[in-house]
Amino acid sequence: QVQLVESGGGLVQAGGSLRLPCAASGSIFSINVMAWYRQAPGKQRELVAAITSDGITNYADSVKGRFTISRDNAKNMVYLQMTSLKPEDTAVYYCRAIGSSWNNWGQGTQVTVSS
């Protein structure tokens, strides 16, 4: 099992930046993909960005050019650097770890972008 703990959320003005760290612990060797999802009030949870163990990244169209996902395997961390934030980026952001036959979620961290 892998445990995930997100942090770094908060209130920021439009145009600002935030970095969300996610700390992984447990069976780290079994993680294939680390990803960030978000869920806004009244909306479905959606993929924001993902990164494979080989460093291949994938982004939602809505965040391309503004968000960057990265991972530090030595520290068992994954990060989501968010820049040029917009009010529509307001959501609870969740970290997800995916193995070959399992996946786990963190508890989420709130990001609020004011206009």
Side-chain angles (χ1 to χ4, degrees), residues 22-113:
C22 173
S25 61
S27 302
I28 307 301
F29 64 91
S30 64
I31 298 175
N32 293 331
V33 178
M34 294 290 293
W36 284 96
Y37 285 71
R38 67 186 180 187
Q39 187 167 20
K43 295 188 176 181
Q44 289 189 331
R45 193 171 296 188
E46 62 176 1
L47 175 68
V48 176
I51 185 167
T52 70
S53 55
D54 296 330
I56 298 170
T57 57
N58 183 46
Y59 296 92
D61 287 342
S62 59
V63 306
K64 282 181 180 177
R66 301 189 298 121
F67 290 11
T68 303
I69 189 171
S70 61
R71 63 193 290 176
D72 185 335
N73 291 329
K75 296 182 179 180
N76 299 328
M77 297 289 294
V78 64
Y79 304 94
L80 185 67
Q81 179 67 49
M82 305 185 293
T83 62
S84 301
L85 282 161
K86 305 175 181 179
E88 51 263 43
D89 294 318
T90 295
V92 178
Y93 284 71
Y94 297 90
C95 182
R96 185 184 186 194
I98 304 169
S100 58
S101 59
W102 58 270
N103 70 94
N104 282 357
W105 295 85
Q107 82 287 352
T109 185
Q110 176 70 47
V111 172
T112 302
V113 184

